[in-house]
Amino acid sequence: ESLAIQYDLPIKVQRYASLFWMILGEIKTQDGFVRTPTETPSQHKDLFARIFHSLLEKGIYLAPSAFEVSFLSTAHIEKQLDQLVSTVGEILAAGL
């Protein structure tokens, strides 16, 4: 979420246990969490597609739908998570 501040793009990472997903755009719920597709910001789908394809070109695979979750497991190491964050930062720095 620090990338959101750095690049002035509303990004929120929501998580539950080992599940996580990005919400791209301004969240308008009272508590700041998206729980249903109708609460998803209108630009989320387009922004997610652009980030997904950019990550894929760099060898990082997330679930392809803007409305799916990603999973962490004990097979993931901290270096891989750092790589995901830094690669998203590179994508944002390049203008998405």
Side-chain angles (χ1 to χ4, degrees), residues 9-20:
L9 176 69
I11 299 174
K12 180 172 183 156
V13 177
Q14 293 188 175
R15 66 177 182 80
Y16 179 78
S18 65
L19 305 175
F20 71 94

Side-chain angles (χ1 to χ4, degrees), residues 32-69:
F33 287 93
V34 171
R35 292 185 177 84
T36 67
T38 58
E39 295 173 342
T40 304
S42 59
Q43 69 269 44
H44 172 77
K45 186 176 178 182
D46 178 56
L47 291 172
F48 182 86
R50 293 173 17 204
I51 289 174
F52 169 80
H53 288 289
S54 295
L55 286 171
L56 192 58
E57 288 174 6
K58 296 179 182 293
I60 298 174
Y61 183 79
L62 295 177
S65 171
F67 302 99
E68 292 182 76
V69 298

Side-chain angles (χ1 to χ4, degrees), residues 1-4 6-7 9 11-13 20 22 24 47-48 50-56 58 60-62 80-96:
E1 292 179 16
S2 64
L3 292 175
Q6 185 176 348
Y7 295 103
L9 176 69
I11 299 174
K12 180 172 183 156
V13 177
F20 71 94
M22 290 185 291
L24 303 159
L47 291 172
F48 182 86
R50 293 173 17 204
I51 289 174
F52 169 80
H53 288 289
S54 295
L55 286 171
L56 192 58
K58 296 179 182 293
I60 298 174
Y61 183 79
L62 295 177
Q80 292 166 320
L81 300 176
D82 292 341
Q83 181 185 9
L84 172 61
V85 172
S86 68
T87 304
V88 169
E90 290 171 14
I91 293 165
L92 296 176
L96 190 68

